[in-house]
Amino acid sequence: MHEIIEQLASTIREAAAQHTPLCIRGGGSKDFYGGPLRGETLGVSAYHGIIDYEPSELVMTARAGTSLVEIENTLRYKGQMLAFEPPHFGLHSTLGGCIATGLAGPRRAYTASVRDTVLGARLLDGKGDDLRFGGQVMKNVAGFDVSRLLAGSMGTLGVILELSLKVLPLPVAEATLRFEHAAAGAIALMNEWAGQPLPLSATAWHDGKLQVRLSGAAAAVSAAIKQLGGERVDDNAAQRYWQDIREQSALFFTSAKTLWRLSVKSTTPPLNLPGAQLLEWNGALRWLATDADAAAVRAAAQSGGGHATLFRGGDKALGVFHALPPALHAIEHKLKRAFDPAGIFNPGRLYPDF
Amino acid sequence: MNSVADSPQIDFTRQRKVVDALAAFLPEHALLYAREDVQPYECDGLSAYRQMPMVVVLPDTEAQVQRILQTCHALRVPVVARGAGTGLSGGALPPGDGVLLSLARFMRILDIDAAARSARLQPGVRNLAISEAASPYGLYYAPDPSSQIACSIGGNVAENSGGMHCLKYGLTVHNILKLRAYTIDGDLLEIGGDGLDSAGYDLLALMTGSEGLLAVITEVTVKLLPIPERAQCILAAFDDVGKAGQAVANIIAAGIIPAGLEMMDKITTGAVEPFVNAGYPLDAEAILLCESDGNDAEVAEEIERMKAVMRASGATEVRVSSSEAERYRFWAGRKAAFPAAGRVSPDYYCMDGTIPKRALPRVLKAITELSVKYGLRCMNVFHAGDGNLHPLILYDANQPGELQRTEQFGAEILKLSIDVGGTITGEHGVGVEKIDAMCMQFKPLELATFHAVKAAFDEHALLNPGKAVPTLHRCAEFGRMHVHAGQQKFPDLPRF
Ligand SMILES: Cc1cc2nc3c(=O)[nH]c(=O)nc-3n(C[C@H](O)[C@H](O)[C@H](O)COP(=O)(O)OP(=O)(O)OC[C@H]3O[C@@H](n4cnc5c(N)ncnc54)[C@H](O)[C@@H]3O)c2cc1C
C-alpha cells in the first residue's frame, strides 16, 4: 500500500510542476455530479481496505478506495451502519468519492450529515505532501477541522487517502407509514412531527403521498405508529421504496430530464415552479424535475434560505453549484490555493474558476 | 502556565493612537483602557495565564464590530474576541499590544422559529438561555457544557464545545446551521444556511472550533430539538476502574447510545459526596452514570438492557433513578466535580485529552503512576462514552515547585493521549495552554497547512495571534528543549 501512496505523490508532484490538471477518480459512480471532468484521470481505487474497526469505539478507519459495499457489509455484520445512508449511484462507488461529494440519503436529516461523521483524514495535498488531520476519536479540537472541510469538497483540496468515521448502531425496529396529503399539508405535518420526540428516520413526499419511516427501539417505534396513524407499508415494499429514493431509481428520478436539488429551510412553502417535485428531510430537501430557467430555480432556493444544485442533466455551462457571495468566494479560492497551489485537482468540478 | 512574567508592558503611545482611532466612532462606555477598567479582562477560565489588555472594546452593533476590525486591520493591531471568558485554555487571553473585543453586549435572542426548530442568536447569548427560551415550544438546544449557565454561544462555536449529552446529540458543530461573521478586513461572511447544507466548502465546520482565529462571529443560528418525554439514569458501581472502562465498551457494543455516559473514580466521588450528598457508594473504585432518554416505553426497555450489560460487566451495585429528584442527585455530583476539586485543594488543573475507549484502563493506570511520581493527587472524571478525559490535578500554587510539577504531569498526560491514538484536546481547545503539545500531535507540514488556512481569512495574522497553532519556530525550540530534558515518555508503551 505504501508504494501506491508513493506513486500517487510522485504523479501529483509531476503534475504540479507541469501544471497538468488531474481528475481524481474512485469508482466513477459520481462522474455525472458537479462540473465537467477535466484533466488526466488519477485512479485512486487501488488504495483500498479497512484499516481499523472496533465496533465498541463506534469508529471505522478505511482507505478511501474501499468500496462502499464492503464498508456497509462490514458494519452490518457487527450491527452498525453509516449514519447518513449514502447513495451509491453504482456498483463501484468508493468511500473517498462518497465523502468528497458529501452526498447523503434519506436518514441524513434525523441522524447526521457526511461531514458530521468525519473524525479524521489523511490526504495528499497539491504538493504531494502526506498530511493527517483530526483522528480516530469522537471529540477532537486540536487544530482547524480540515478533515470535515474535505466533505463535499469535490476532490478539489487533495487526494483523500484514509478516513475515520463515526458509525452508529443499526436500529432494532423499523416501520414505514403512508399518508395522503398535498405538498403544503405534508410540509406542515413533517415539521410538526420533527418538533416532537418521535423516532423519525426518513420522510418523503411526492404526488400527494407522504411516506414516513420510523427507526429505533421497538417500543419507541410501536408507540409512534399508534400516535401517527396512517397506513402501514409492508416491510419489503418499504425497503424497496427507501432504496429507490436513496439511489434515485424511483420513476420520479429516472424520468427527470433535468434534475435540480434545492436545499432550503424545511418550512419553505411548496416551490412555485413548473415541473414535478419530490420532498425529503422534513421539507429541507426539494428535488425538482423542471425545464425552468436556472435563474428562477436559484432564486427560489435563495428565498428559501438555501441553495440550488443542478444535479443531473441541464446545461452545466451555466454553473452546477450555487454561486457564492464575493467575500466567501474569495476565501474559498484562497483555501483552494492553500491546499493546491498549482490548481491541479479537479479544476472546474466545484466552481468554474478553481 | 506562568506566562505572567513574560507579559509585555503596555506601550502608551501605541495605546493612545488606537484609542483615538476607535473613539472616532465608539461611544465612551464601549471603550476601556484605564488599568482598573481593563483588569477584569486579564484572563479567562484558565487564570494561571494573565495579561492586561491594551484596550478593551464593548460594541453592541455589527456596524461597530466591523469598524473596529477595519480600524485594527489598518493599524495592524491584534484583536482577540471574547465571549463570557469561561474558556479553559487561555483562548481569550488578551493581547498586551492590541484590542480585546468583548461580545458580551450581544445578548439578544433574535428569533425562535418553533416550526423550523431553530433559533437565531447574538453571540453573547448564554448557552442555557437558549434552552430556557425554547422550552415553551417543547424544544431545547442540545450541547450542554458544564459551564452552560455562563458560557456564550459564540464561545461555544469558537471552541466546538461539548457536554454531557454529546455522545447521542453531538457537539456544537452538529447543532448549528448558520453564522454571520466578520473577517479582520471587515468583510461580512454568511456561512451555512437555513437548509441542512450549503454551497461550496463546508466553512461552517471549519469555523467551528477555530478559536477566534478566522473571523469574529456576530450571529449564530442553532438547531433546536424536541425535549425527550422522559429520562432515567443508572448509577453503576465497580470495584475496579478497568472493569468500569470495559462496561462502557460493552454498552456501546450492545448497540446502545446512552444519552449520557460518565465516569468518576474513587477520589472524585469522595470529594464531591460531602458537597452534594448524592449517595454515591464511596467504597467503589469507579462509578458510571448512564442515562437513557426517549418516550416512556423506550426508556423502560433501554434501562433494562443497560442494567443487564452493567451486571454482566461485573458491577457491584446497579441503581436506577426512581424520580426526577433522584436523577438530578445522581448528576449533581458529576456536575459539581470541578467546584469540589476547588474545595479539596487550593488549586486544580483540568486536562482534556480524548483517547480511544479501549485504551482507558491503560491510561488510567498510567495516570495513577504519574500521580505517585509527581506526588500530586488527581481526580478522574470523564465523558466516558466518547473517551474524553478530564483528569483534575490537585496542587497548591503557593508551594514552591508544585505548579511546575503540575505542568509536567499535565504534559505527560497529553503525550500519553497522543501515544494511544488520541488527541490533546477534546473540547477545551488549544488556546495558549496546549500550544506546545500541538508540536507533538502534528508534523511541521500539517502545522504549515493550518497557517495557510489561517492566512486565507487573515493574511496578517491579527486575529487571536499566538493561539491554537504554534509557529514552526516555536516547535523547533520546543523540540530542542524536549530532547535536552531527555523526556522520552513511556518508551515501553505500544503505539498505534
Ligand atoms: C466550570 C467550567 C466547566 C466547563 N465545562 C465545559 C464542558 O463541559 N464542555 C466544554 O466543551 N467546555 C467546558 N468549559 C469550557 C468553556 O466554558 C467553553 O469553552 C465555552 O464554550 C467558552 O465560552 P465563552 O463564551 O466563555 O468563551 P471565551 O472563553 O470568552 O472564549 C473562548 C474562545 O472563543 C473565542 N471567541 C469567543 N467569542 C467569539 C466570537 N463571538 N467570535 C469569534 N471567536 C470568539 C475567543 O477568542 C476564545 O478563543 C467549562 C469551563 C468552566 C469554567
Side-chain angles (χ1 to χ4, degrees):
Chain A
M1 286 295 154
H2 190 69
E3 303 80 73
I4 300 178
I5 296 180
E6 281 299 298
Q7 185 59 51
L8 289 169
S10 91
T11 308
I12 291 168
R13 276 185 221 113
E14 213 166 292
Q18 316 284 327
H19 289 264
T20 321
L22 295 174
C23 176
I24 307 168
R25 194 159 186 265
S29 62
K30 294 168 186 81
D31 280 350
F32 73 90
Y33 186 59
L37 309 186
R38 253 187 249 149
E40 274 173 46
T41 301
L42 183 67
V44 291
S45 50
Y47 192 66
H48 67 92
I50 292 168
I51 297 172
D52 191 8
Y53 173 43
E54 172 58 50
S56 68
E57 300 285 343
L58 294 177
V59 177
M60 176 183 267
T61 301
R63 298 190 182 92
T66 315
S67 82
L68 264 188
V69 173
E70 181 183 344
I71 302 261
E72 292 194 318
N73 285 345
T74 306
L75 289 168
R76 194 174 310 116
Y77 184 67
K78 296 286 183 183
Q80 298 187 331
M81 63 178 184
L82 292 174
F84 49 88
E85 209 175 3
H88 291 213
F89 293 148
L91 288 176
H92 304 292
S93 59
T94 62
L95 179 64
C98 165
I99 303 300
T101 52
L103 296 172
R107 203 179 295 272
R108 185 261 176 262
Y110 311 92
T111 47
S113 65
V114 177
R115 72 98 144 119
D116 284 349
T117 66
V118 174
L119 300 175
R122 177 177 180 190
L123 76 151
L124 293 172
D125 72 4
K127 287 173 274 183
D129 290 332
D130 185 349
L131 309 172
R132 288 171 195 264
F133 298 99
Q136 287 184 283
V137 288
M138 220 70 93
K139 288 164 96 175
N140 187 353
V141 290
F144 298 125
D145 203 343
V146 172
S147 49
R148 287 202 172 96
L149 187 66
L150 298 174
S153 66
M154 298 297 292
T156 57
L157 298 177
V159 174
I160 304 174
L161 292 175
E162 293 165 15
L163 289 153
S164 293
L165 304 179
K166 177 181 177 183
V167 299
L168 284 186
L170 284 167
V172 178
E174 213 152 72
T176 294
L177 304 173
R178 185 164 47 209
F179 304 82
E180 307 261 333
H181 281 289
I187 291 169
L189 258 188
M190 287 188 283
N191 281 288
E192 191 187 314
W193 288 337
Q196 298 171 21
L198 290 164
L200 299 171
S201 72
T203 51
W205 177 91
H206 175 59
D207 201 16
K209 291 194 182 53
L210 171 64
Q211 311 241 9
V212 176
R213 186 175 65 189
L214 304 161
S215 311
V221 171
S222 55
I225 292 173
K226 277 202 209 96
Q227 184 189 332
L228 298 185
E231 175 196 347
R232 177 86 188 259
V233 180
D234 162 79
D235 284 350
N236 287 326
Q239 209 160 11
R240 269 198 311 279
Y241 176 81
W242 293 114
Q243 183 69 7
D244 281 344
I245 298 284
R246 173 184 181 177
E247 295 299 339
Q248 302 197 338
S249 44
L251 185 65
F252 166 83
F253 292 105
T254 53
S255 59
K257 278 221 302 283
T258 304
L259 180 68
W260 285 89
R261 176 191 188 275
L262 287 81
S263 172
V264 293
K265 189 172 195 164
S266 60
T267 47
T268 304
L271 302 171
N272 189 13
L273 290 165
Q277 295 183 33
L278 189 147
L279 279 55
E280 287 188 77
W281 301 358
N282 302 325
L285 184 61
R286 315 269 168 115
W287 298 102
L288 177 65
T290 187
D291 47 15
D293 207 40
V297 177
R298 295 202 187 278
Q302 217 157 325
S303 69
H307 64 107
T309 307
L310 179 56
F311 203 80
R312 287 181 199 265
D315 183 5
K316 287 191 176 183
L318 294 172
V320 171
F321 298 104
H322 216 94
L324 299 169
L328 267 186
H329 190 87
I331 283 183
E332 299 211 350
H333 199 164
K334 285 187 221 165
L335 279 173
K336 160 73 174 173
R337 274 204 307 249
F339 284 86
D340 176 17
I344 53 172
F345 293 135
N346 290 1
R349 192 90 192 257
L350 185 58
Y351 286 106
D353 59 333
F354 62 80
Chain B
M1 279 191 286
N2 50 349
S3 69
V4 187
D6 327 328
S7 298
Q9 293 302 307
I10 304 295
D11 169 346
F12 292 105
T13 323
R14 181 179 167 93
Q15 185 186 49
R16 190 73 258 159
K17 192 167 135 197
V18 174
V19 167
D20 285 347
L22 294 169
F25 58 93
L26 280 179
E28 215 171 298
H29 64 79
L31 182 58
L32 313 177
Y33 50 94
R35 199 184 155 81
E36 63 276 18
D37 293 337
V38 301
Q39 179 121 30
Y41 299 92
E42 69 175 347
C43 68
D44 63 8
L46 182 66
S47 56
Y49 289 88
R50 286 168 200 273
Q51 166 64 51
M52 288 294 237
M54 184 175 80
V55 175
V56 175
V57 288
L58 293 147
D60 57 12
T61 67
E62 276 195 356
Q64 288 172 349
V65 170
Q66 184 180 37
R67 279 196 74 176
I68 290 165
L69 292 168
Q70 284 165 338
T71 305
C72 291
H73 184 237
L75 296 173
R76 297 286 186 267
V77 168
V79 179
V80 175
R82 176 184 167 110
T86 68
L88 290 175
S89 53
L93 184 75
D97 59 349
V99 171
L100 183 80
L101 168 53
S102 166
L103 282 306
R105 289 194 177 150
F106 287 83
M107 299 254 308
R108 281 194 307 134
I109 294 177
L110 299 169
D111 182 38
I112 292 193
D113 187 336
R117 305 163 314 283
S118 64
R120 207 157 55 82
L121 314 158
Q122 288 192 329
V125 171
R126 288 175 307 115
N127 173 293
L128 186 62
I130 309 168
S131 289
E132 285 170 353
S135 76
Y137 307 99
L139 301 169
Y140 77 114
Y141 176 62
D144 56 344
S146 310
S147 51
Q148 68 180 153
I149 51 167
C151 64
S152 74
I153 186 66
N156 290 174
V157 174
E159 300 285 10
N160 192 14
S161 296
M164 307 283 181
H165 293 96
C166 57
L167 177 62
K168 183 165 176 182
Y169 296 104
L171 305 160
T172 304
V173 70
H174 304 112
N175 287 281
I176 59 174
L177 291 168
K178 199 168 67 166
L179 299 175
R180 281 169 70 87
Y182 284 87
T183 64
I184 188 75
D185 316 68
D187 283 341
L188 169 64
L189 306 179
E190 289 189 271
I191 295 170
D194 293 323
L196 293 177
D197 46 40
S198 55
Y201 296 136
D202 200 329
L203 297 189
L204 196 61
L206 187 65
M207 279 294 293
T208 313
S210 64
E211 302 193 24
L213 266 74
L214 302 182
V216 174
I217 299 159
T218 54
E219 194 180 295
V220 184
T221 303
V222 301
K223 291 183 199 167
L224 300 174
L225 297 182
I227 299 173
E229 225 169 82
R230 187 156 82 95
Q232 214 172 357
C233 186
I234 290 181
L235 187 166
F238 293 85
D239 57 11
D240 175 72
V241 176
K243 279 190 204 163
Q246 190 56 45
V248 171
N250 294 347
I251 289 275
I252 308 285
I256 304 170
I257 306 282
L261 183 52
E262 301 280 318
M263 192 194 290
M264 283 183 273
D265 69 358
K266 194 174 181 173
I267 309 185
T268 309
T269 50
V272 298
E273 183 60 29
F275 212 41
V276 296
N277 297 313
Y280 291 147
L282 297 178
D283 51 342
E285 286 301 319
I287 66 165
L288 291 179
L289 295 176
C290 183
E291 182 150 292
S292 168
D293 67 9
N295 71 25
D296 281 343
E298 185 181 10
V299 171
E301 183 183 306
E302 196 168 73
I303 286 283
E304 283 312 311
R305 292 174 64 207
M306 288 171 169
K307 266 164 53 183
V309 176
M310 292 296 184
R311 292 223 172 84
S313 309
T316 51
E317 188 187 344
V318 177
R319 280 186 226 166
V320 181
S321 64
S322 56
S323 63
E324 275 299 274
E326 187 171 24
R327 187 172 75 88
Y328 280 121
R329 239 182 357 262
F330 283 2
W331 282 109
R334 171 62 187 88
K335 294 199 170 168
F338 287 23
R343 225 174 67 141
V344 298
S345 168
D347 301 284
Y348 69 92
Y349 183 34
C350 174
M351 309 303 298
D352 174 43
T354 307
I355 57 168
K357 287 186 288 288
R358 58 190 159 197
L360 214 63
R362 189 179 351 147
V363 169
L364 288 176
K365 188 159 167 281
I367 291 178
T368 310
E369 286 163 13
L370 288 171
S371 173
V372 174
K373 172 175 162 189
Y374 287 103
L376 294 167
R377 288 176 301 160
C378 181
M379 290 169 47
N380 280 303
V381 284
F382 34 84
H383 308 300
D386 36 36
N388 187 195
L389 312 178
H390 289 322
L392 301 173
I393 304 174
L394 308 181
Y395 73 101
D396 180 354
N398 290 326
Q399 295 298 318
E402 277 210 7
L403 178 62
Q404 285 70 20
R405 289 214 313 281
T406 302
E407 278 188 285
Q408 282 167 14
F409 188 171
E412 289 215 39
I413 294 177
L414 296 185
K415 179 72 170 54
L416 185 61
S417 302
I418 299 173
D419 287 346
V420 301
T423 177
I424 55 170
T425 173
E427 58 181 11
H428 294 166
V430 173
V432 283
E433 181 207 15
K434 284 162 233 133
I435 195 102
D436 288 332
M438 284 289 284
C439 309
M440 298 193 280
Q441 188 161 334
F442 293 98
K443 292 182 298 193
L445 285 174
E446 291 152 353
L447 294 172
T449 302
F450 290 146
H451 286 294
V453 168
K454 161 86 169 153
F457 288 79
D458 174 14
E459 189 187 343
H460 302 290
L462 293 171
L463 276 180
N464 219 357
K467 314 277 178 69
V469 186
T471 59
L472 299 182
H473 176 72
R474 184 172 181 131
C475 285
E477 287 293 311
F478 173 73
R480 259 199 296 284
M481 271 167 40
H482 234 56
V483 176
H484 182 67
Q487 288 179 321
Q488 174 55 281
K489 314 288 190 244
F490 298 100
D492 51 348
L493 261 178
R495 282 144 209 252
F496 55 88

